[in-house]
Amino acid sequence: MEKDQTTSQKYSKLLMTSRELFWKYGFSRVSIQEICKEAGISKMTFYRFFPNKLELAKAVFDRVVDEGLVKFRSIMHANISSADKIKQIVLLKREGVHEISQEFLKDFYANPELGLKTYIEEKTKTAWHEMLTDFRQAQQDGWIRADMKPELLFYMSQKVGDMLNDKRLSSLYNSPQDLVMELTNFFVYGISPHE
Amino acid sequence: MEKDQTTSQKYSKLLMTSRELFWKYGFSRVSIQEICKEAGISKMTFYRFFPNKLELAKAVFDRVVDEGLVKFRSIMHANISSADKIKQIVLLKREGVHEISQEFLKDFYANPELGLKTYIEEKTKTAWHEMLTDFRQAQQDGWIRADMKPELLFYMSQKVGDMLNDKRLSSLYNSPQDLVMELTNFFVYGISPHE
DNA sequence: GTATTAAAATACGAATATAGTAACATTTTA
DNA sequence: TAAAATGTTACTATATTCGTATTTTAATAC
């Protein structure tokens, strides 16, 4: 008998498939049957892993956030220059826009009685907290200026991610790479000249 | 009493709204109620314009194709150089990828019993035919080489649209504009030097 | 071979959602 | 004001979906 469900292939397959569908169409528009059919797994097997669709959604959300956190940490603790770290994080945020789909969240803010809204907010909060801890550590390590709120730093790194996806901005540059470099430099050095 | 329904504001509003929803989520995932709610129009009014969801879908599809055709014609008959015409058409095709959403079509190919599949194919066929006529006219007018099948021309203009959206290709150029110019030149002059 | 077990397929009832209609109220427009 | 258009509410019938129970099938252990 399988002891740890989370390592099961079918379990992972279900998570993957439902994430794809949820991301595209949102939570309520996707039925359990559809997920099972798409994943090639019977409904009974589904119910062996998840009691209902809501718990499935939580598991999906958990995995996405955890994966994002792992990526973030591996960058923060990598043996590269501070400028490179910022650059990597900025690039991560750019992809991150697609990490948690708007369609997926829409449903929960429209139907708060589902109870997933608060769950997501809790989970997000703890993830934030963990990232802030890493930022503070970086300040102690000296590669981030100590005289600024880490919350601001975190907020900015999110904003920069958004900027990268802003067409009005990117149209000012010849290539996406140019924009990344410009924003990274701004992020690391501000408007002050360096070197 | 309103004679021509297609000029009604509510009719247009319904078409617009349902197109947006169909495009994003596909046909079956969107309910009539949802469309009405989103459009701010009562269900009764909906049924005054459309007998059911299928006829609505046909109307949506019709309008999209017709609008595309109008744009195509205005370019073909515009008083600009042949190179500019090709360029405009290529640019039109680039947007055109989003014109008819994959999500929208998926449903009909998955559920052929809906009967919309054949309808769409018919409509597309006639649109093709009309565009081919315009191409032939252009050959007679002399701004397109006469010794080639217009079908090939049409096929190529579609392919070029796809190429513009190919990241592997666009990454070879500094800007999208560069790629458009390159492809347009290739389309108009082939690989032969000109001027 | 047979017994045992996990998973798939099928069927099913109950709850919910949706399509479409009808009767009546309200607003818009001429 | 009168006519036309639209909105509201309620309703029925149908279809979907959920979640469970039952039967089949397939694989594995004995």
Side-chain angles (χ1 to χ4, degrees), chain A residues 2-14:
Chain A
E2 185 80 50
K3 286 287 168 61
D4 184 11
Q5 295 189 324
T6 59
T7 60
S8 155
Q9 281 190 357
K10 308 228 176 214
Y11 181 89
S12 292
K13 178 80 182 168
L14 278 172

Side-chain angles (χ1 to χ4, degrees), chain A residues 36-97:
Chain A
C36 292
K37 194 178 172 189
E38 186 70 24
I41 288 165
S42 84
K43 204 159 60 159
M44 285 311 301
T45 312
F46 172 91
Y47 278 105
R48 203 163 291 127
F49 289 123
F50 308 97
N52 51 47
K53 205 162 73 164
L54 259 144
E55 293 305 314
L56 168 68
K58 287 184 189 174
V60 167
F61 188 72
D62 279 356
R63 177 163 287 197
V64 172
V65 170
D66 289 343
E67 279 175 3
L69 214 51
V70 166
K71 281 186 203 161
F72 175 80
R73 284 228 183 86
S74 73
I75 294 172
M76 289 295 279
H77 301 142
N79 194 21
I80 53 179
S81 72
S82 62
D84 275 347
K85 281 184 184 173
I86 293 295
K87 190 174 173 180
Q88 293 293 322
I89 287 171
V90 162
L91 287 173
L92 180 64
K93 293 286 172 198
R94 177 164 65 161
E95 297 163 9
V97 171

Side-chain angles (χ1 to χ4, degrees), chain B:
Chain B
M1 196 220 280
E2 184 82 47
K3 285 289 168 59
D4 184 11
Q5 295 189 324
T6 59
T7 61
S8 155
Q9 281 190 358
K10 309 242 171 206
Y11 181 90
S12 293
K13 178 81 182 167
L14 278 172
L15 274 193
M16 262 183 46
T17 309
S18 47
R19 178 166 74 178
E20 280 172 28
L21 290 172
F22 284 157
W23 256 224
K24 265 199 276 187
Y25 306 116
F27 178 72
S28 355
R29 296 186 140 87
V30 180
S31 72
I32 293 180
Q33 316 187 84
E34 192 183 359
I35 294 170
C36 292
K37 195 178 172 187
E38 186 70 23
I41 288 165
S42 82
K43 203 159 60 157
M44 285 310 303
T45 312
F46 172 91
Y47 280 105
R48 208 160 286 130
F49 288 123
F50 307 96
N52 51 48
K53 205 162 75 163
L54 259 143
E55 293 305 313
L56 168 67
K58 286 184 189 173
V60 167
F61 188 73
D62 279 355
R63 176 161 289 197
V64 171
V65 171
D66 289 344
E67 279 175 2
L69 214 51
V70 166
K71 282 186 203 161
F72 175 80
R73 284 229 184 86
S74 73
I75 294 172
M76 289 295 279
H77 300 143
N79 194 20
I80 53 179
S81 72
S82 62
D84 276 348
K85 281 183 184 173
I86 293 294
K87 189 173 173 182
Q88 293 293 321
I89 287 171
V90 161
L91 287 173
L92 180 64
K93 293 286 172 197
R94 177 164 63 163
E95 297 164 10
V97 171
H98 304 290
E99 248 172 31
I100 288 155
S101 118
Q102 282 309 104
E103 292 310 327
F104 183 65
L105 296 177
K106 249 190 213 165
D107 272 342
F108 307 126
Y109 282 85
N111 308 38
E113 75 277 9
L114 289 174
L116 246 184
K117 182 169 170 284
T118 50
Y119 179 84
I120 285 177
E121 281 167 353
E122 280 298 318
K123 180 85 185 175
T124 309
K125 200 171 152 190
T126 61
W128 261 69
H129 182 260
E130 301 215 30
M131 291 168 105
L132 277 177
T133 306
D134 274 359
F135 271 129
R136 289 207 187 86
Q137 185 61 45
Q139 286 181 311
Q140 291 204 348
D141 295 349
W143 67 271
I144 287 181
R145 191 156 48 90
D147 60 342
M148 70 185 298
K149 280 187 189 297
E151 284 85 356
L152 175 68
L153 200 59
F154 187 57
Y155 173 81
M156 283 304 295
S157 79
Q158 281 200 314
K159 277 294 161 199
V160 170
D162 293 344
M163 290 176 184
L164 274 174
N165 293 296
D166 187 338
K167 284 178 186 170
R168 285 172 303 171
L169 189 60
S170 61
S171 67
L172 299 177
Y173 294 84
N174 283 329
S175 71
Q177 291 77 10
D178 289 349
L179 178 55
V180 168
M181 189 173 300
E182 178 92 317
L183 287 176
T184 307
N185 280 332
F186 184 80
F187 207 101
V188 177
Y189 304 107
I191 60 166
S192 311
H194 61 281
E195 259 145 292

Side-chain angles (χ1 to χ4, degrees), chain A residues 15 18 48-50 86 124 139 142 147 163 167 172 179 183 185 188:
Chain A
L15 274 193
S18 47
R48 203 163 291 127
F49 289 123
F50 308 97
I86 293 295
T124 308
Q139 288 182 308
D147 60 341
M163 290 175 186
K167 283 179 187 169
L172 299 177
L179 179 54
L183 286 177
N185 280 332
V188 177

